[in-house]
């Protein structure tokens, strides 16, 4: 076959848009369906509604192979494989809200000779339920492992691709595996339920690694060890590995908090108490507020103090504020009577609606003007390049709590700062001698 397999994508959120653009880059004609008409119109005008490095260029380069539509028909007509990339947010009970997934499945229905390929993160058992409802439609679970900020690279250079299908749907699994084959990554062929669990368990394991190192950091704080050194030494053990061992203000974003909660609820719903995961979630909640005690150690009461937050997004290279540590932290500081001023190079617009009482500054230096302390919340590269000696001069009191252990304590000390990290010994600026 000369022509590449046409692909349908349902849901043009962050996962859907990255997936559609990357499939087009691999040479496939892609029809992507989104029910929000304004989004389709914006995409047709060449506007990319999310901040994801490399994505606008990819969409531009593959315009001819990428079609956006509000209808399902233009997608069902050419494509055998329909990738479902709709949202599965948590409900009030912590279970995943599957209404968008169910809606998409019902619309596609029993389309003979077609396959629904599930990219959305769903509870284990969802695939089998959908398949029972529409036995004529093949079903493949192909979970995504994309990270915000590096999604295009993650798509093009995956560690592995998981393709789960049950007996009878091998043709669809073969076709999905064939699409990913040019990427040269190992392809894990398995059943639908195991594929669903691989996704949930991978995210839960990474979240566990983060909460684990955060607890080690909290103990390091008490015993005078340096968690960055501990993580370096641990990470050299191949069984442990160096990644996801950065202690800090905890994990946020659209996936880890939601997926750990969803797996915990999934287990709970079948009568199993997933104790470890409950602790991972609790440790993460407490971690977001830990810096307040570091601030009070130096400032006493925070009442009337002015505190700067450097970074608001849940991690660098994104404007995503979902479950960002900054939300909890800003509210906590205001709860203690402080005034909060913040700077984020990308997320300030999104953040101002969520944090209406926080002053948004136009630059890091502006945010630091006259403050009693600053907290580095997001490890944006530009904070590494800031002139910290100038910053010390601008601040009323040069105290920095580095919530991501991002900066070198010695550099900050040389710049005149009192520095506190998370689980690493701080340095105290020399106080100018009092005039007698
Ligand atoms: C994550 C998964 O990595 C990805 O595979 C999945 O598809 C979606 O969820 P993402 O949410 O984009 O991706 O962010 P990630 O880079 O994994 O970071 C998640 C959070 O953990 C961030 O808040 C980050 O600051 C925090 N983190 C990460 C740490 O606190 N320490 C670390 O060592 C690593």
């Amino acid at each position: 076959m000369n022509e590449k397999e046409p692909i349908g994508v349902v849901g043009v959120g962050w996962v859907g848009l990255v997936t559609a653009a990357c499939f087009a880059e691999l040479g496939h004609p892609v029809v992507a369906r989104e029910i929000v008409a304004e989004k389709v119109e914006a995409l047709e005008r060449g506007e990319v509604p999310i901040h994801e490095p490399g994505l606008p260029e990819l969409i531009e380069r593959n315009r001819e192979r990428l079609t956006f539509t509000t209808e399902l028909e233009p997608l069902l007509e050419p494509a055998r494989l329909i990738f479902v990339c709709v949202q599965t947010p948590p409900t009030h009970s912590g279970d995943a809200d599957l209404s968008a997934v169910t809606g998409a499945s019902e619309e596609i229905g029993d389309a003979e000779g077609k396959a629904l390929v599930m990219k959305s993160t769903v509870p284990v058992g969802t695939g089998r339920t959908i398949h029972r409802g529409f036995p004529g439609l093949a079903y493949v679970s192909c979970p995504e492992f994309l990270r915000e900020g590096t999604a295009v690279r993650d798509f093009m250079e995956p560690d592995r691709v998981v393709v789960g299908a049950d007996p009878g749907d091998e043709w669809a699994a073969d076709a999905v595996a064939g699409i990913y084959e040019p990427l040269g990554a190992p392809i894990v062929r398995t059943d639908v339920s195991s594929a669903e669990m691989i996704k949930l368990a991978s995210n839960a394991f990474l979240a566990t690694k983060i909460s684990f190192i955060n607890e080690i950091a909290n103990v390091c704080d008490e015993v005078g060890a340096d968690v960055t050194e501990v993580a370096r030494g641990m990470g050299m053990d191949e069984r442990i590995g160096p990644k996801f061992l950065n202690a800090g203000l905890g994990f946020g974003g659209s996936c880890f908090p939601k997926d750990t909660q969803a797996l915990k609820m999934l287990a709970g719903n079948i009568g199993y108490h997933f104790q470890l995961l409950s602790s991972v979630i609790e440790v993460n909640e407490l971690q977001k507020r830990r810096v307040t005690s570091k601030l009070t150690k130096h400032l006493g009461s925070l009442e009337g103090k002015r505190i700067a937050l450097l970074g608001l997004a849940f991690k660098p290279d994104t404007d995503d504020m979902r479950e960002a540590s900054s939300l909890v932290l800003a509210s906590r500081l205001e709860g203690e009577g402080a005034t909060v001023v913040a700077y984020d190079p990308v997320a300030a617009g999104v953040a101002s609606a969520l944090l209406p009482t926080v002053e948004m500054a136009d630059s890091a230096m502006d945010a630091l003007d006259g403050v009693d302390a600053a907290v580095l919340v997001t490890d944006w590269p530009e904070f590494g390049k800031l002139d910290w000696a100038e910053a010390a001069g601008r601040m009323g009191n040069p105290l920095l709590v580095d919530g991501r252990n991002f900066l070198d304590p010695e550099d900050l000390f040389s710049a005149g700062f009192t520095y506190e990290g998370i689980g690493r010994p701080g340095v105290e600026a020399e106080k100018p001698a009092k005039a007698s």
Side-chain angles (χ1 to χ4, degrees):
M1 194 164 60
N2 277 339
E3 287 274 299
K4 290 254 189 180
E5 171 101 40
I7 290 175
V9 171
V10 173
V12 185
W14 176 77
V15 173
L17 191 53
V18 172
T19 303
C22 288
F23 280 149
E25 175 77 0
L26 293 178
H28 296 273
V30 179
V31 183
R33 187 280 186 110
E34 166 61 51
I35 47 172
V36 182
E38 297 80 52
K39 222 185 217 178
V40 172
E41 285 157 19
L43 283 161
E44 277 171 348
R45 285 195 302 270
E47 293 163 22
V48 179
I50 51 171
H51 178 85
E52 186 59 44
L55 187 60
E57 295 82 343
L58 209 63
I59 293 174
E60 187 53 40
R61 195 161 60 235
N62 292 288
R63 270 189 159 281
E64 283 189 6
R65 280 194 286 268
L66 261 176
T67 312
F68 297 102
T69 168
T70 51
E71 308 293 327
L72 198 63
E73 210 42 47
L75 175 157
L76 285 179
E77 219 264 307
R80 288 191 301 167
L81 303 178
I82 302 140
F83 286 76
V84 172
C85 304
V86 296
Q87 75 280 14
T88 52
T91 61
H92 293 303
S93 63
D95 294 290
D97 176 353
L98 293 178
S99 51
V101 163
T102 313
S105 316
E106 281 169 0
E107 265 193 284
I108 298 164
D110 243 337
E112 278 297 327
K114 311 265 174 195
L116 188 162
V117 188
M118 188 61 78
K119 278 258 157 235
S120 305
T121 303
V122 294
V124 182
T126 305
R128 291 205 171 144
T129 307
I130 293 175
H131 209 195
R132 266 200 303 276
F134 306 102
L137 182 71
Y139 188 96
V140 179
S141 167
C142 181
E144 57 85 16
F145 298 97
L146 309 175
R147 286 166 299 177
E148 291 184 36
T150 54
V152 172
R153 198 180 72 213
D154 289 345
F155 186 100
M156 293 298 178
E157 300 166 25
D159 290 341
R160 76 324 202 169
V161 175
V162 176
V163 178
D166 289 337
D169 290 343
E170 285 85 2
W171 72 265
D174 288 346
V176 173
I179 288 171
Y180 282 99
E181 213 165 80
L183 301 178
I187 294 182
V188 182
R189 290 284 292 262
T190 185
D191 61 278
V192 168
S193 294
S194 302
E196 291 168 341
M197 187 55 111
I198 289 170
K199 165 70 188 189
L200 290 174
S202 297
N203 272 359
F205 186 79
L206 292 169
T208 304
K209 239 181 146 179
I210 298 170
S211 276
F212 178 84
I213 202 67
N214 281 337
E215 291 226 275
I216 294 290
N218 299 343
V219 178
C220 283
D221 264 338
E222 300 305 319
V223 298
D226 183 337
V227 73
T228 61
E229 291 297 298
V230 176
R232 187 163 70 91
M234 286 170 65
M236 285 179 194
D237 186 325
E238 280 189 15
R239 295 168 301 174
I240 298 173
K243 295 184 180 158
F244 280 72
L245 284 182
N246 296 325
L249 291 177
F251 57 81
S254 64
C255 288
F256 285 175
K258 165 176 86 76
D259 294 348
T260 45
Q261 192 66 34
L263 180 52
K264 180 186 151 179
M265 296 319 289
L266 175 77
N269 291 345
I270 49 161
Y272 181 74
H273 175 47
F274 202 145
Q275 199 162 344
L276 181 59
L277 215 42
S278 304
S279 301
V280 167
I281 294 164
E282 191 187 359
V283 167
N284 195 54
E285 281 312 308
L286 295 173
Q287 200 68 16
K288 294 176 184 174
R289 35 179 80 213
R290 259 188 83 77
V291 299
T292 43
S293 59
K294 289 179 185 283
L295 291 169
T296 49
K297 182 174 127 191
H298 294 278
L299 300 176
S301 164
L302 299 182
E303 184 73 48
K305 300 286 189 315
R306 186 171 166 85
I307 315 279
L309 300 186
L310 296 180
L312 293 166
F314 86 97
K315 68 172 196 178
D317 272 331
T318 176
D319 61 354
D320 199 337
M321 284 295 297
R322 281 176 287 181
E323 304 286 334
S325 303
S326 60
L327 295 171
V328 173
L329 187 56
S331 309
R332 197 73 274 292
L333 294 173
E334 288 181 338
E336 295 287 325
T339 304
V340 180
V341 54
Y343 166 71
D344 189 289
V346 174
V350 183
S352 55
L354 300 166
L355 296 168
T357 49
V358 169
E359 284 175 40
M360 295 294 163
D362 290 333
S363 71
M365 279 300 172
D366 284 351
L368 293 172
D369 227 357
V371 294
D372 296 289
V375 183
L376 190 149
V377 183
T378 314
D379 37 347
W380 283 102
E382 73 169 75
F383 299 145
K385 298 183 202 124
L386 206 68
D387 182 339
W388 286 101
E390 188 194 334
R394 293 277 286 265
M395 290 169 73
N397 175 43
L399 165 64
L400 181 92
V401 180
D402 182 354
R404 298 287 168 191
N405 290 341
F406 184 56
L407 303 168
D408 183 343
E410 289 307 319
D411 288 351
L412 272 283
F413 177 70
S414 308
F417 269 86
T418 293
Y419 173 97
E420 287 272 356
I422 307 289
R424 67 203 306 209
V427 288
E428 185 118 16
E430 282 151 17
K431 301 268 178 299
K434 279 204 177 97
S436 53

